[in-house]
Amino acid sequence: MQRFRPLKRGWQLLKSSCEGAAKQVNTSASRNYSHGHNSFGLLFDIDGVLVRGRTPIPAAKQCFKNLVDRDGKYKVPVLFVTNAGNCMRQTKAEHLSHVLGVEVSPDQVMLAHSPLRMFTKFHKMCVLVSGQGPVEEVAHNLGFQDVLTIDMLRDAYPLLDIVDHNRRPKGCIPSSKGLRPIDAVILFGEPIRWETNLQLIVDVLLTNGNPDNDWSSVQYPHIPVLACNMDLLWMAEAKNPRFGHGMFMVCLESLYKKVTGYELKYEALIGKPSIVTYNYAELLIRQQAESLGWTTPVKRLYAIGDNPMADIYGANLYNRYLQASQVAKAQKQAKSGGGSVNPLAETVDDVPKMTSAEFSGASGVYGAEDLPDECSSILVCTGVYSRDQQELPADTTQTVTEQRIFHGHRDFRFDPSLTQPSFVVQDVKEAVELVFRREGWPLE
């Protein structure tokens, strides 16, 4: 965890600013349906849960009738947590508003790259961004001040991108313009021209951020790489899953190792299933609860998703983190109170350890204040997962077979227990009904 400690201050600054903004909300307009001890929040995945591509899933619009009152105001904190990232929050919120028939605020949308706001030590660096859509605008919106896109890079160095013969320079060879050295690479999402992005990113990594230099693998590790969205597959309108950004990352990792013999290293892996994503989501849920006038902390989160290796794995991994935090907090209180710790009680060491990749920039400090008690995972069958699929085998040596392959990221350990959801339901409407019954809330 040593390499992530500089990010802790950025997290604390972000946390304080969000909490300060929440306290400024006028609570006089708070509604009277806060149920006190029944304090919970909902985390919705989008693709495969609410929509498939641009097509709404019928159950999605129905279920939101239970989540808003007659005035269209939300009864409970709701956050849309997606690994998509090639757009602005405002755009995604407008799309969801149209699909669901209720108003969705940009503050209720969390994209894969949203936690990059806390990575303040990179905000003044020159960063190369990869993806599609308004990536430059997205980067600036997150706090990055000096941004280069792949198109800017290929314009400055016309000879780098020549896989497509139609894009090769015609006539005389143009000279390179030269750019300031690149300090870090940020992968927002899958690009359109994979060959262009793969080639130029490898160029940048092998030249220490300056494509004017010769390739060299002597200086290793390379400049920092931060990646958002590790989904290998995702569900659109097609019958079968489509390649996601995780597949692009597999290609980049393979190319880099093939050329250099070294493993590509990531400064941070952001988006589900990393813990930092759920830490950030919990912070936004807490802010919503305060704006609703709730006087008790949110103690239970329900994460609803369709992808066992992103939504379910991530929610369960975060739940494990919460368990460890509770144990550490109890031990600390017992020691500070002068009492003795029960030797039979669970200890932090009893909770399975998590890798630095799984934290990916989270503080990693157990015992934090006001964390939820638990995060339950709910798997729907309208996306990547279907009930016809068999469960993954418990023996990890048997996971890489012709039919059953571990789809998680290379740097995440495979723990079969974390792919097992707390609940399996047919669709998102059943998921919301399940939560309301568990929390004792009336279904209207």
Side-chain angles (χ1 to χ4, degrees):
M1 291 304 300
Q2 181 68 32
R3 70 186 298 185
F4 297 113
R5 285 179 181 171
L7 298 174
K8 183 178 178 182
R9 175 168 173 76
W11 174 255
Q12 291 171 336
L13 289 173
L14 179 64
K15 179 179 177 180
S16 62
S17 64
C18 286
E19 290 177 342
K23 290 177 180 177
Q24 293 177 7
V25 175
N26 184 0
T27 58
S28 62
S30 301
R31 293 174 287 279
N32 58 8
Y33 45 67
S34 176
H35 285 235
H37 64 282
N38 286 335
S39 186
F40 66 98
L42 297 172
L43 308 178
F44 288 95
D45 181 41
I46 297 177
D47 293 304
V49 175
L50 305 178
V51 299
R52 288 182 61 160
R54 292 187 175 275
T55 304
I57 293 174
K61 197 166 187 177
Q62 300 173 30
C63 88
F64 272 79
K65 294 179 181 178
N66 289 329
L67 294 178
V68 298
D69 61 18
R70 295 179 179 179
D71 297 324
K73 304 298 183 181
Y74 289 88
K75 302 176 182 178
V76 299
V78 167
L79 190 66
F80 301 91
V81 185
T82 175
N83 269 352
N86 291 315
C87 66
M88 302 289 289
R89 288 193 303 165
Q90 179 67 39
T91 303
K92 184 66 72 173
E94 290 173 355
H95 173 60
L96 287 172
S97 299
H98 174 72
V99 167
L100 300 176
V102 297
E103 183 179 354
V104 176
S105 163
D107 294 334
Q108 292 178 288
V109 175
M110 181 175 164
L111 304 174
H113 54 245
S114 295
L116 284 174
R117 294 178 184 277
M118 64 175 277
F119 287 71
T120 53
K121 76 171 186 176
F122 293 98
H123 287 180
K124 292 185 179 180
M125 294 183 181
C126 179
V127 297
L128 174 68
V129 294
S130 169
Q132 59 180 286
V135 289
E136 185 178 6
E137 183 182 2
V138 168
H140 285 303
N141 183 260
L142 290 168
F144 296 95
Q145 301 172 21
D146 194 356
V147 180
L148 291 176
T149 66
I150 292 292
D151 285 340
M152 293 177 186
L153 186 60
R154 65 180 297 273
D155 287 344
Y157 299 94
L159 298 181
L160 297 185
D161 181 24
I162 61 169
V163 171
D164 184 343
H165 286 229
N166 292 325
R167 283 157 63 103
R168 291 186 178 187
K170 304 298 189 295
C172 61
I173 298 177
S175 59
S176 299
K177 298 177 182 177
L179 294 172
R180 52 203 178 280
I182 295 167
D183 301 309
V185 177
I186 299 178
L187 309 178
F188 279 134
E190 62 273 16
I192 296 174
R193 286 182 169 268
W194 285 33
E195 81 283 358
T196 294
N197 289 56
L198 290 170
Q199 174 71 76
L200 270 63
I201 291 171
V202 169
D203 281 327
V204 168
L205 297 180
L206 292 181
T207 59
N208 199 34
N210 188 350
D212 278 324
N213 296 339
D214 295 329
W215 275 15
S216 173
S217 58
V218 176
Q219 292 186 345
Y220 184 82
H222 47 72
I223 63 174
V225 178
L226 296 85
C228 310
N229 182 1
M230 296 163 273
D231 287 355
L232 194 75
L233 301 168
W234 68 290
M235 207 68 182
E237 289 94 342
K239 181 177 181 180
N240 295 307
R242 303 292 85 195
F243 292 165
H245 189 222
M247 197 71 79
F248 175 83
M249 293 166 62
V250 169
C251 295
L252 180 61
E253 293 156 13
S254 299
L255 286 172
Y256 184 83
K257 186 170 185 179
K258 192 70 173 179
V259 171
T260 67
Y262 296 111
E263 295 282 356
L264 179 74
K265 292 185 177 294
Y266 293 96
E267 181 75 15
L269 292 166
I270 306 164
K272 296 176 290 187
S274 68
I275 291 174
V276 67
T277 295
Y278 290 85
N279 267 344
Y280 190 85
E282 184 275 327
L283 192 64
L284 298 180
I285 283 286
R286 190 191 318 168
Q287 185 178 358
Q288 284 191 46
E290 291 184 10
S291 71
L292 288 173
W294 288 14
T295 57
T296 56
V298 172
K299 288 301 182 182
R300 289 171 299 284
L301 294 176
Y302 294 90
I304 303 169
D306 71 304
N307 190 330
M309 265 315 308
D311 308 309
I312 304 306
Y313 197 101
N316 291 340
L317 185 66
Y318 184 60
N319 189 58
R320 179 175 289 178
Y321 168 82
L322 295 176
Q323 292 173 356
S325 299
Q326 292 170 19
V327 172
K329 185 176 180 179
Q331 290 178 334
K332 182 179 179 181
Q333 290 175 343
K335 290 179 181 179
S336 63
S340 60
V341 178
N342 185 347
L344 298 179
E346 183 183 29
T347 66
V348 175
D349 292 334
D350 294 326
V351 180
K353 293 293 187 294
M354 285 159 272
T355 67
S356 59
E358 291 167 341
F359 277 107
S360 285
S363 64
V365 179
Y366 294 137
E369 299 294 331
D370 297 328
L371 287 176
D373 292 336
E374 62 180 337
C375 179
S376 298
S377 56
I378 305 178
L379 181 63
V380 299
C381 303
T382 52
V384 171
Y385 175 83
S386 71
R387 292 184 189 272
D388 296 334
Q389 294 176 330
Q390 299 177 5
E391 293 184 357
L392 289 169
D395 183 358
T396 58
T397 63
Q398 300 299 316
T399 60
V400 182
T401 65
E402 189 172 59
Q403 294 181 333
R404 290 289 173 258
I405 299 176
F406 172 52
H407 286 172
H409 188 266
R410 175 200 70 185
D411 294 348
F412 279 65
R413 300 165 304 165
F414 178 54
D415 184 340
S417 67
L418 295 181
T419 65
Q420 302 302 316
S422 306
F423 308 96
V424 179
V425 296
Q426 180 57 38
D427 54 40
V428 67
K429 182 174 182 290
E430 284 190 21
V432 171
E433 291 172 348
L434 169 69
V435 172
F436 273 43
R437 285 195 301 269
R438 284 177 56 83
E439 294 295 330
W441 280 53
L443 289 169
E444 297 177 0

